[in-house]
Amino acid sequence: MDADSPLFDAYLRDVHQRYAAIDDGKVADYIPELALAKPEWFGLCVVTKDGQCFEVGDSRQLFTIQSIAKAFVYGLALEDCGREYVNRRVSVEPTGEAFNAIVLDEVTNRPYNPMVNAGAIATTDLVQGKDAVERLKRMLDMFERYTGRSHDINVPVFLSEKTTGHRNRAIAYLMLNFGMVTPRIDETLDLYFQQCAILVNAHDLAMMAATLANGGVNPVTGVRAIDSQYVKDVISVMLTCGMYDYSGEWAYHIGIPAKSGVGGGITAVSPNKLGIGTFSPRLDSKGNSVRGSRVCQALSEDFSLHVFSVEQAKLDLDVYLRGDLGDRSSS
Ligand code: GLN
């Protein structure tokens, strides 16, 4: 279903125009392929839990999903192995450290959470399948259930991550040393580098978030992407750990569970309401998209989308989505 509310559409266009003027931040360049992104790219998309879709700007521009995949692969690991087993392998504690820190819990040897590289490599290890091909297929099928379309991998990005990813390899081997991952670690690392290089756009990210907001069912296709019992697990770690070592501030100021990636994307879930997807490759010092963060903040403040907000919203979301402000303004 396409957008049928000109009011919300106009709101989103206004937000896009306002923040397109911001040119703070820096495109990721730790591998040359990411530095090819045009700094001015800026796409926004909002999908409601009943499948209305609003998009502005470069919302169909493809980029690599990077760390955003971690939230969804965590969901797949939960489905494959169950909550109890996954919790024995990966904790859910924020680190306050950089996403690529080489640090494990001193007592249990578990990575701190599924959103940092160590935790994501551990959850990737838990993705089942008889061989590398089947494991990758199961992962890509999962993303297809969320977005409603099939996904490719950016092969140069994958190969570049694989060639230069010594730090991730070090983390993986440290976990192997502690018996926290299985010995097929090189296959798992490939799967981890491949998941980072999956191509998505802002529309996909909004659809993925809307699917979580809708209890795990894609609101447009009606396909279930994840068992409903694990939806709150995924959204919880997004809220506590999804925005690198800015996660606490994000939860406090913006309060929409979200996950970002160094490709410039953010996916944000407003439970039972809507999903937000943003893409703008200029990143702040924590690695979060500058414009994407501002857009989420604007939506949170204007429509009172902070998950713990008890205040009346400045703008009434239902009215904006119905698009019939006339009723109210005349009353
Ligand atoms: N591919 C990146 C890495 O493993 C993921 C980075 C990210 O989005 N934070 O270092």
Side-chain angles (χ1 to χ4, degrees):
M1 189 198 305
D2 278 327
D4 54 12
S5 165
L7 198 54
F8 194 81
D9 202 48
Y11 169 85
L12 213 58
R13 279 175 202 291
D14 179 59
V15 166
H16 183 270
Q17 193 181 24
R18 208 175 331 142
Y19 296 124
I22 298 178
D23 59 4
D24 298 346
K26 203 170 158 301
V27 175
D29 59 1
Y30 69 91
I31 51 171
E33 288 75 10
L34 288 183
L36 297 175
K38 290 205 180 105
E40 65 273 16
W41 275 336
F42 187 22
L44 292 185
C45 182
V46 170
V47 175
T48 63
K49 72 166 280 187
D50 60 359
Q52 281 194 77
C53 173
F54 303 86
E55 47 189 320
V56 194
D58 303 306
S59 55
R60 302 288 172 139
Q61 173 62 50
L62 293 173
F63 55 95
T64 53
I65 190 168
Q66 297 293 344
S67 283
I68 296 168
K70 293 175 166 77
F72 300 88
V73 171
Y74 177 53
L76 186 57
L78 287 165
E79 285 195 307
D80 278 0
C81 300
R83 190 177 290 124
E84 200 199 327
Y85 188 82
V86 173
N87 281 344
R88 270 191 270 136
R89 296 296 167 125
V90 191
S91 181
V92 288
E93 204 57 39
T95 62
E97 308 239 12
F99 64 90
N100 58 2
I102 304 183
V103 52
L104 302 174
D105 182 297
E106 274 178 22
V107 178
T108 62
N109 295 321
R110 286 178 304 174
Y112 275 90
N113 67 69
M115 303 302 200
V116 292
N117 289 8
I121 294 166
T123 55
T124 303
D125 178 54
L126 298 176
V127 172
Q128 301 298 297
K130 67 176 184 309
D131 55 21
V133 175
E134 189 177 302
R135 293 172 79 204
L136 176 60
K137 181 173 182 322
R138 290 193 64 246
M139 190 176 279
L140 290 172
D141 286 351
M142 183 239 342
F143 282 103
E144 181 169 346
R145 289 196 297 277
Y146 276 100
T147 65
R149 68 177 196 96
S150 64
H151 292 272
D152 295 322
I153 285 170
N154 180 323
V155 176
V157 170
F158 159 56
L159 292 176
S160 191
E161 299 258 14
K162 179 177 159 106
T163 313
T164 60
H166 309 305
R167 197 178 171 95
N168 286 323
R169 211 163 279 118
I171 293 169
Y173 275 87
L174 184 65
M175 292 194 292
L176 181 60
N177 172 65
F178 287 123
M180 298 308 286
V181 289
T182 58
R184 57 176 177 182
I185 195 63
D186 290 316
E187 183 184 302
T188 292
L189 276 164
D190 271 356
L191 195 56
Y192 171 78
F193 295 130
Q194 283 161 335
Q195 84 186 36
C196 292
I198 291 171
L199 285 164
V200 291
N201 56 40
H203 180 267
D204 294 326
L205 296 182
M207 205 60 88
M208 290 155 73
T211 297
L212 290 173
N214 189 39
V217 174
N218 179 307
V220 172
T221 62
V223 169
R224 176 164 288 288
I226 176 173
D227 191 321
S228 61
Q229 66 172 310
Y230 298 123
V231 169
K232 73 172 176 10
D233 300 343
V234 173
I235 299 177
S236 299
V237 288
M238 287 170 85
L239 182 65
T240 54
C241 315
M243 303 302 280
Y244 308 122
D245 49 335
Y246 188 73
S247 298
E249 299 237 26
W250 180 278
Y252 185 88
H253 294 292
I254 298 174
I256 307 176
K259 183 75 201 87
S260 64
V262 290
I266 297 178
T267 188
V269 183
S270 179
N272 285 312
K273 292 189 180 126
L274 49 80
I276 303 165
T278 69
F279 169 54
S280 173
R282 284 203 192 94
L283 310 177
D284 62 22
S285 59
K286 305 281 188 182
N288 296 314
S289 167
V290 175
R291 290 174 181 167
S293 301
R294 297 292 289 272
V295 169
C296 290
Q297 182 166 11
L299 282 158
S300 172
E301 287 174 0
D302 291 340
F303 295 104
S304 199
L305 295 180
H306 193 298
V307 278
F308 303 125
S309 176
V310 291
E311 276 186 331
Q312 172 127 31
K314 281 188 223 161
L315 306 178
D316 187 326
L317 184 63
D318 289 338
V319 169
Y320 267 68
L321 291 177
R322 272 203 319 269
D324 56 358
L325 191 61
D327 291 348
R328 292 195 123 210
S329 50
S330 59
S331 64

